[in-house]
Amino acid sequence: SSSGLKIFCGVYTMEAAHHKTIRAMRETWAGRCDGFLAFSTANDPRIPAISLPHEGPEEYNNMWQKVRSIWKFVGDTYLEDFD
């Protein structure tokens, strides 16, 4: 970015949204991010999207466990690369 800050953008999504929703994000605002990754229910390198292991079932009522896994992954993987 022009400010010198490096911004990482991540979204939580479902496999059914890969083709339409994530594509629209990449064609609009996600292009302004220095890094972009979709965290999903399925891996898809074309987007890119990754599915992370988490405690409990893959269901809406267990979203907190998925979000915990996402933040751990972001911290472990990108902490030194983005602001």
Side-chain angles (χ1 to χ4, degrees):
S1 75
S2 62
S3 67
L5 295 175
K6 290 184 72 180
I7 305 299
F8 176 84
C9 301
V11 296
Y12 175 52
T13 188
M14 306 287 283
E15 183 177 16
H18 287 190
H19 179 68
K20 202 170 195 179
T21 307
I22 302 301
R23 181 178 174 185
M25 289 177 189
R26 293 192 60 79
E27 291 174 354
T28 56
W29 61 266
R32 294 189 298 259
C33 303
D34 298 298
F36 176 82
L37 186 56
F39 299 95
S40 180
T41 56
N43 293 315
D44 189 339
R46 297 169 298 161
I47 293 175
I50 61 170
S51 176
L52 297 174
H54 57 84
E55 293 182 29
E58 184 70 60
E59 62 183 33
Y60 183 81
N61 290 331
N62 194 45
M63 191 179 302
W64 168 240
Q65 294 299 336
K66 185 77 165 196
V67 172
R68 284 182 60 214
S69 294
I70 290 168
W71 280 117
K72 181 170 180 2
F73 177 85
V74 170
D76 291 347
T77 307
Y78 297 114
L79 186 64
E80 302 299 324
D81 298 326
F82 296 94
D83 298 298

